[in-house]
Amino acid sequence: MYKETRSLEDILLETADALVCPTFDNKDRDAHIAMIEAVLQAGGLHIDLPPLLCRAIATFKRHMQASPIELIVGEDQGHMELASKLLDRVQPERRYLYHGTIRGHLRSISEDGLRPNKNPVWSGHVAPDHLKAGVFFDTSWRGAASWAAVAQYKATGPEDSEHREPAVLRVRAAHLIVEQDRQATKPGCVFVRGCVPVDDADCHWGLQTGIPNWQPIRLVNLIRK
């Protein structure tokens, strides 16, 4: 089975993602803490990075003890500032955009790429011209997972089928022209006009909490047989 090898930048991206969206799975941070502690123990980091990672550990421990409502209405936004500082240490070419869908669409996406309004989850809720303009993404995979849950809800077929399992794709953002989705009220919503290739995209599906095991989308056809 494919097992993702995490670089330092992958670890910083996942840490920042978990900081930005604490209400999604705030109780599930033990693996994050262990991952960061291993990086700190290995050493060799730039001098300004260990203090930030230690702050991330302390923040995760606080979030694990908090209720979702405390995280929503709390006035302390230090986790957002910390996430931004960690992202600043990731090269732009290593950053991702995330797209929420369902497992049943992964095969066609792997073959045809992401196409505007191909699976119109939002028909009747968003202006058709806007849906046809491009492909919609989130800057956080946890944010995209919330859109995947909507796609799961609106999909047809048995509710417990593999086809309707929520799935998230990530694509490199470096060569894409990204625009804010001004019709969205949720932070982090962006879109890219036209079709988006997925040759080097990764995906994961099913229970989406903790640290995901990203798999190359080119393996989807093999996995699903």
Side-chain angles (χ1 to χ4, degrees):
M1 175 177 288
Y2 174 84
K3 181 66 175 177
E4 181 189 6
T5 300
R6 298 186 183 93
S7 67
L8 175 60
E9 288 182 315
D10 289 329
I11 292 169
L12 295 179
L13 286 169
E14 173 56 29
T15 301
D17 199 293
L19 287 166
V20 167
C21 299
T23 58
F24 183 80
D25 56 350
N26 64 299
K27 303 296 184 183
D28 197 352
R29 291 290 178 267
D30 288 332
H32 290 81
I33 292 171
M35 176 178 69
I36 295 171
E37 288 176 340
V39 171
L40 291 170
Q41 186 174 4
L45 301 174
H46 190 277
I47 191 170
D48 66 342
L49 198 50
L52 295 177
L53 293 175
C54 288
R55 280 180 58 192
I57 290 175
T59 302
F60 287 151
K61 289 180 177 179
R62 289 200 306 274
H63 286 177
M64 291 173 71
Q65 301 301 316
S67 67
I69 191 64
E70 289 174 313
L71 295 172
I72 292 172
V73 303
E75 295 181 359
D76 179 14
Q77 295 297 308
H79 59 286
M80 300 296 290
E81 175 196 4
L82 178 56
S84 179
K85 289 182 177 180
L86 292 173
L87 286 176
D88 285 343
R89 282 143 182 88
V90 178
Q91 295 298 317
E93 61 269 19
R94 294 300 308 274
R95 299 185 190 182
Y96 297 94
L97 295 177
Y98 304 89
H99 179 79
T101 184
I102 56 174
R103 182 174 178 179
H105 293 162
L106 291 179
R107 178 173 292 181
S108 65
I109 291 172
S110 71
E111 295 171 349
D112 302 329
L114 288 164
R115 297 180 177 274
N117 207 33
K118 182 174 182 180
N119 299 295
V121 172
W122 298 103
S123 293
H125 301 280
V126 180
D129 288 347
H130 189 57
L131 291 175
K132 294 176 182 178
V135 179
F136 295 84
F137 294 93
D138 201 292
T139 54
S140 157
W141 80 254
R142 288 171 172 81
S146 67
W147 302 123
V150 176
Q152 178 189 35
Y153 174 77
K154 298 196 71 174
T156 58
E159 291 186 5
D160 59 350
S161 67
E162 288 185 352
H163 173 83
R164 289 184 66 173
E165 284 185 340
V168 173
L169 282 80
R170 67 177 187 181
V171 299
R172 297 283 187 188
H175 302 298
L176 299 175
I177 300 176
V178 182
E179 302 178 39
Q180 291 295 319
D181 181 3
R182 302 194 182 281
Q183 294 197 24
T185 57
K186 178 179 170 294
C189 295
V190 298
F191 75 99
V192 176
R193 294 185 183 275
C195 301
V196 177
V198 296
D199 298 339
D200 61 348
D202 303 310
C203 60
H204 69 86
W205 58 80
L207 184 61
Q208 300 173 71
T209 63
I211 301 176
N213 180 29
W214 295 100
Q215 304 189 56
I217 196 170
R218 66 178 181 273
L219 299 181
V220 165
N221 289 340
L222 300 176
I223 293 168
R224 286 175 56 80
K225 289 182 179 178

